[in-house]
Amino acid sequence: MRVRFNFTPRRWLRGFLWLTGALCLLSVGLTLPLAVFNPPTTAYILQDSGDRSPWLTRWTPLEDISPHLPLAVVASEDQRFPDHFGIDVAAIRKALNEDRDRLRGGSTISQQLAKNLYLWTGRSLVRKGIEAWLTLWMELLWSKGRLLEIYLNVVEFGPGIYGVTDASEHFFNKTPAQLTPYEASLLAAVLPNPKRLNVGQPSAYVSQRSRTIRTAMSYLGGHSYLEGVIR
């Protein structure tokens, strides 16, 4: 006996619309609450917690973080952050032209945050696709200031040191509001690989990178560069 599948174009379209709607509802459910509520943890912290508590218990609002740090991170990681909608096509094209095996160079702060919050480590086209999808929803539902606030509170600045509050106290014995341009540039300088690069004992590479970041901060116009973003 043969089983016949009667998939008409109308049924295909209906199935596609149902699937698209379900994906949109799931994406809104994952992202919209964080426009107001702080995330209790992230996928990266859960994967890296080991014997440590996986919960984020210390949070610093963006207005209580030294303005030097958001500027340093933008200067280092994503200089077009105020202007793009989460995915910087020009930066991706440039990264691929320079090294076709190196995708991180084209990742925006929003993409890095989507990966840290929701996804797994490693590289694959599937993960990059999901990352891009969630990034667009985050950009749609969150302000740029909220994106920066969450990023600075969940990103890893050293082995097991997540968020600006713990990083400021651990490395400088300061609150986030007291960070100087030099300290902010050091924190931003280790973000490509915080498990190997050390804020407390900066290598020649980290020191040079922090100087480059400070130069970029000045080139972008200082704090005024993010005035329309941080409100």
Side-chain angles (χ1 to χ4, degrees):
M1 185 177 85
R2 292 190 302 174
V3 179
R4 297 181 64 185
F5 296 96
N6 186 21
F7 289 122
T8 65
R10 179 176 295 180
R11 288 189 176 183
W12 278 110
L13 178 60
R14 185 182 303 166
F16 174 78
L17 292 176
W18 273 103
L19 178 60
T20 302
L23 286 174
C24 290
L25 285 174
L26 176 61
S27 301
V28 170
L30 287 172
T31 56
L32 183 58
L34 298 189
V36 178
F37 302 105
N38 299 331
T41 188
T42 71
Y44 264 38
I45 292 175
L46 288 172
Q47 294 170 74
D48 188 48
S49 59
D51 296 331
R52 301 187 305 274
S53 170
W55 305 111
L56 286 165
T57 58
R58 310 183 70 195
W59 192 273
T60 301
L62 188 60
E63 59 266 25
D64 294 331
I65 298 173
S66 166
H68 302 305
L69 185 59
L71 180 60
V73 169
V74 167
S76 172
E77 299 287 288
D78 184 5
Q79 293 187 9
R80 289 167 50 85
F81 177 76
D83 303 316
H84 62 63
F85 197 70
I87 298 173
D88 190 344
V89 177
I92 293 174
R93 186 182 297 115
K94 180 180 178 181
L96 289 174
N97 288 337
E98 291 176 353
D99 184 345
R100 295 188 179 275
D101 294 324
R102 180 177 174 267
L103 292 180
R104 187 187 182 283
S107 292
T108 65
I109 286 174
S110 305
Q111 288 175 279
Q112 293 175 44
L113 179 56
K115 177 180 63 178
N116 288 348
L117 279 174
Y118 300 112
L119 302 175
W120 60 94
T121 58
R123 294 182 179 181
S124 71
L125 291 177
V126 172
R127 201 216 68 194
K128 292 295 289 186
I130 299 172
E131 173 189 298
W133 173 262
L134 290 172
T135 295
L136 294 176
W137 282 100
M138 288 161 48
E139 287 274 351
L140 178 66
L141 297 174
W142 304 354
S143 68
K144 288 284 190 176
R146 181 61 172 165
L147 281 160
L148 274 176
E149 179 180 64
I150 296 179
Y151 182 81
L152 294 175
N153 276 282
V154 305
V155 73
E156 187 178 24
F157 288 104
I161 303 172
Y162 288 90
V164 61
T165 309
D166 286 350
S168 299
E169 292 185 2
H170 179 83
F171 293 116
F172 307 117
N173 196 29
K174 290 183 174 183
T175 66
Q178 298 172 314
L179 292 171
T180 66
Y182 171 70
E183 293 161 345
S185 68
L186 281 177
L187 289 171
V190 305
L191 289 179
N193 196 339
K195 291 193 181 300
R196 295 186 60 184
L197 304 177
N198 194 319
V199 175
Q201 297 179 324
S203 63
Y205 170 78
V206 171
S207 296
Q208 176 58 48
R209 183 171 166 79
S210 71
R211 287 193 292 270
T212 301
I213 291 169
R214 292 195 299 278
T215 300
M217 291 164 66
S218 177
Y219 175 79
L220 291 174
H223 302 153
S224 63
Y225 186 68
L226 296 178
E227 279 182 356
V229 171
I230 300 176
R231 295 175 181 173

